[in-house]
Amino acid sequence: MTDIVDELKWRGLFAQSTDEDALRKALADGPVTFYCGFDPTAASLHVGHLVQVLTVRRLQQAGHRPIALVGGATGQIGDPRPTAERTLNDPETIANWVTRLRGQIEPFLSFEGPNAAVMVNNLDWTAGMSAIEFLRDIGKHFRVSKMLAKDSVARRLESDQGISYTEFSYQLLQGMDFLELYRRYGCTLQQGGSDQWGNLTAGLDLIHRLEPHANVHALATPLMVKADGTKFGKSESGAVWLDPEMTTPYAFYQFWLNVDDRDISPYLRILSFKSRTELEELEKLTEERPQARAAQRALAEELTTLVHGAEQCAAVVAASKALFGQGELAGLDEATLAASLSELPHAKVAELGSVVDLFVEVGLAPSKSAARRTVKEGGAYVNNVKVADEDAVPAPDDLLHGRWLVLRRGKKNLAAIEVAAG
């Protein structure tokens, strides 16, 4: 078996464990059956979930057996959040989201071979349990003083919002999940984010009470944060989702392409499957030629391929190049072009006017005189073609897919014009 602890540490994926030496030995002696849970709190996972999904993949590639749990039960309850209660959704919505999340996780794992992955839903072992059974069989083994000491609970108790009994009980459910998976599958390791540490250890405590000879472990990965202090996984338009209908593959690619130089090295180590040598070379390139954004481009292409497939990745790379004059805009398919243009400043017009008017309309120039000056200085482009005439008017045949024009001022200032269907 591959000893993966050092690899996880080098990549910045090892925040804490219950007993590092014991965990290292278990992983070296493996294979270890481990699990990671994902609650269906939305119709899609977002890029913040990739840390856990890809760590599960990494552990499987090292020879260990993953269990991916999508919480049809815990998703109905709500894990304690730092500031407010989680919005509770109806069971039908949760069931739909469980199916969607399973479909997103499955492509990252292998379901064949000696360490084939398993997908589970904790509703399977909670739906038939009465409240009395839960309190008698599970609740009696938890000490309230210890539950109150959990960071997530303590913070909420000190807040103006307080904490409901529903959220307070979440750690019992997660603890029961670990116990159930230990009994059903021999699962001895739970993996999760460091903000889940209290819930991870709740499962260990429960197993130790009911299965005193069990050798079980918890492994927490660090929370990813941006260098500027803002939350990882957010763009200007909100969360970056894995579902292509919620965040287009083009927007997904651009999110990684625009990663701050201060963040790209840790992001690469945590999320990329490239070798140490390759990553160190990309880190060196970032130091020497940050303007080339080689590391961002490498991560954007790798993750877009992983999440959306090689064909979609090739399409968005082509679109990204074409928008900046390094490819043919007319060669882009309509869906990819529409997705890429939706990320730009844009305006809808009833009919085509002069280039000068269009530049003002979409905000590329503050006035007609400024737009004329841009044309005169050779900095105005329509569909990557330089405009030489200050009075030029695009022809209907210039419209991409009969709808759009791509306007550019200089090398980097882009905008889109959409002509309303007549």
Side-chain angles (χ1 to χ4, degrees), residues 275-295:
S275 69
R276 290 195 189 193
T277 301
E278 291 173 301
L279 295 182
E280 287 168 349
E281 180 62 28
L282 286 169
E283 290 169 3
K284 183 179 178 183
L285 285 172
T286 299
E287 291 178 7
E288 295 175 350
R289 296 181 61 237
Q291 69 278 8
R293 304 192 76 73

Side-chain angles (χ1 to χ4, degrees), residues 81-243:
R81 299 167 66 191
T83 56
E85 291 272 321
R86 176 185 287 178
T87 300
L88 301 184
N89 295 284
D90 62 79
E92 292 75 19
T93 298
I94 296 293
N96 175 257
W97 290 352
V98 166
T99 300
R100 291 172 66 112
L101 264 59
R102 286 179 64 125
Q104 289 181 337
I105 295 168
E106 285 172 351
F108 290 94
L109 305 177
S110 172
F111 291 83
E112 300 177 350
N115 64 330
V118 178
M119 293 288 296
V120 298
N121 181 346
N122 56 17
L123 192 63
D124 292 345
W125 53 81
T126 56
M129 179 178 283
S130 70
I132 295 297
E133 289 172 323
F134 178 69
L135 293 172
R136 182 194 63 198
D137 297 341
I138 302 299
K140 70 169 293 185
H141 300 291
F142 284 79
R143 298 297 175 260
V144 172
S145 59
K146 198 164 187 178
M147 294 174 67
L148 291 170
K150 304 289 186 186
D151 287 344
S152 58
V153 173
R155 285 195 299 270
R156 284 289 296 280
L157 287 172
E158 294 169 1
S159 70
D160 293 337
Q161 292 80 13
I163 187 170
S164 71
Y165 183 76
T166 302
E167 286 195 358
F168 182 62
S169 303
Y170 184 93
Q171 57 187 286
L172 276 72
L173 289 169
Q174 188 164 331
M176 183 172 68
D177 288 344
F178 198 175
L179 174 66
E180 193 69 26
L181 295 176
Y182 171 79
R183 288 174 169 173
R184 291 188 179 205
Y185 300 100
C187 178
T188 57
L189 169 63
Q190 182 179 180
Q191 168 210 324
S194 57
D195 61 332
Q196 285 284 307
W197 186 249
N199 293 331
L200 269 61
T201 56
L204 266 71
D205 293 343
L206 179 61
I207 292 174
H208 286 147
R209 285 182 177 273
L210 295 176
E211 306 282 350
H213 300 296
N215 186 19
V216 289
H217 311 274
L219 169 63
T221 59
L223 293 181
M224 289 179 70
V225 293
K226 294 183 180 180
D228 63 8
T230 58
K231 188 174 182 180
F232 170 74
K234 296 279 187 178
S235 68
E236 291 182 4
S237 57
V240 180
W241 304 99
L242 304 195
D243 188 311

